[in-house]
Structures are given as C-alpha cells and as structure tokens.
C-alpha cells in the first residue's frame, strides 16, 4: 500500500512540474504581435499585455479588438502550425477523386 501511495505522489509531483514548465513556455511565447488561439477557439494577434490586471488585448479582425483574461490564451499559433493546417486536404466524406455526380451523368 505504501509503495502504491509513493508512486501516486511521485506522478502527482511530476505532472505538476510538467504543467508548470508548459505554462512558462507559453508565457515566454506570449509577446506583442504573436498569433494566438484562446480556449474558446478565437484566433487573434496580441496587441497589448497587461500583466498587472491579467488582461490581453487581441485583434480578431480589422478593427476588432477584444480584451480577454490572460489565462484564456491556450496556445501560440506558429507559422509551422498554420502551414500544416493548410496542407491537409479537406475530407470529402470518403469520395474518391473523379467520383462526382457530373461524371455519372
């Protein structure tokens, strides 16, 4: 029983350290001008970071500036992520190339 308890405590500390390390990495990437994604799926560019009040101003579109809590920023979108998303082909519900309704008519 003590061995199982020791293993559980070990993994709790390990996960806590990993989570803290990930948060520090995200915080270091959050700079003015970085493209980010929020927890609720909004993409934008950081215009200003208010450390004292934990607020971030995001530009979601031309002339659209939103103020969100700093913890809602889930990740920094890097150029490699955007290119990978664009390279993935859209799924046409399993249809093969050349299988269109106009080919059958």
């Amino acid at each position: 029983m003590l061995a199982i308890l020791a293993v559980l405590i070990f993994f709790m500390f390990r996960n806590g350290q990993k989570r803290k390390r990930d948060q520090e990495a995200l915080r270091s990437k959050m700079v003015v001008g970085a493209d980010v994604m929020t927890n609720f799926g909004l993409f934008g560019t950081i215009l200003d970071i208010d450390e004292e009040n934990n607020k971030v101003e995001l530009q979601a579109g031309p002339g659209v500036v939103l103020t969100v809590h700093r913890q809602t920023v889930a990740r920094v979108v890097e150029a490699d992520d955007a290119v990978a998303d664009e390279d993935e082909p859209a799924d046409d519900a399993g249809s093969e190339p050349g299988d269109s309704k106009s080919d059958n008519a």
Side-chain angles (χ1 to χ4, degrees):
M1 290 294 277
L2 290 177
I4 293 172
L5 182 62
V7 169
L8 288 175
I9 291 172
F10 170 75
F11 281 115
M12 284 183 0
F13 281 116
R14 184 172 157 213
N15 287 339
Q17 289 174 351
K18 181 180 177 187
R19 193 174 320 119
K20 186 177 180 180
R21 202 172 33 242
D22 291 343
Q23 287 175 348
E24 289 297 324
L26 176 63
R27 190 171 290 148
S28 68
K29 290 180 184 178
M30 280 182 36
V31 294
V32 175
D35 292 328
V36 296
M37 182 184 82
T38 62
N39 287 337
F40 46 91
L42 179 78
F43 288 90
T45 304
I46 296 177
L47 295 178
D48 186 36
I49 300 172
D50 184 2
E51 298 281 339
E52 184 176 310
N53 295 320
N54 287 328
K55 293 182 181 180
V56 175
E57 287 187 6
L58 296 178
Q59 181 177 7
V64 180
V65 178
L66 305 170
T67 302
V68 297
H69 195 275
R70 196 171 86 193
Q71 290 179 342
T72 61
V73 176
R75 70 181 180 125
V76 175
V77 180
E78 297 177 4
D80 296 339
D81 295 340
V83 171
D85 290 342
E86 291 174 3
D87 290 342
E88 293 178 10
D91 186 18
D92 293 332
S95 64
E96 293 291 322
D99 287 349
S100 67
K101 293 181 181 180
S102 63
D103 290 342
N104 296 334

